[in-house]
Amino acid sequence: MLGNRTVIVDAFCEIAPRLKHIADDVFYDFSQHTLVPGAVYVVSRQQMNQFVSDFKRLAADGVIDIVLANP
């Protein structure tokens, strides 16, 4: 948790091991993950490339915040 924000980390991003002390959850495939509204998602470039339209929509609608971990 980061303050009062839930942090969810893509297991494949390069910095996942460094975030495990603040991560509330880890996902391996965004399409199989149960979305947590209001969470901060740390996402690898592979997941971003695969689900770019979903991430754009979710961020634009204010459902989640997204950090691209390894651009």
Side-chain angles (χ1 to χ4, degrees):
M1 186 163 282
L2 185 61
N4 64 345
R5 303 290 303 271
T6 301
V7 177
I8 302 175
V9 179
D10 178 349
F12 298 110
C13 74
E14 294 170 358
I15 62 171
R18 295 178 184 237
L19 297 178
K20 63 181 167 185
H21 68 285
I22 63 167
D24 297 291
D25 196 7
V26 175
F27 70 93
Y28 294 86
D29 180 348
F30 189 71
S31 68
Q32 301 298 314
H33 174 71
T34 301
L35 189 69
V36 179
V40 175
Y41 278 78
V42 181
V43 180
S44 69
R45 66 181 172 268
Q46 293 88 350
Q47 292 283 322
M48 180 60 79
N49 287 339
Q50 189 173 2
F51 301 104
V52 67
S53 60
D54 295 319
F55 287 131
K56 282 182 177 181
R57 180 182 46 79
L58 291 166
D61 292 347
V63 177
I64 60 174
D65 290 321
I66 301 168
V67 176
L68 182 55
N70 45 351

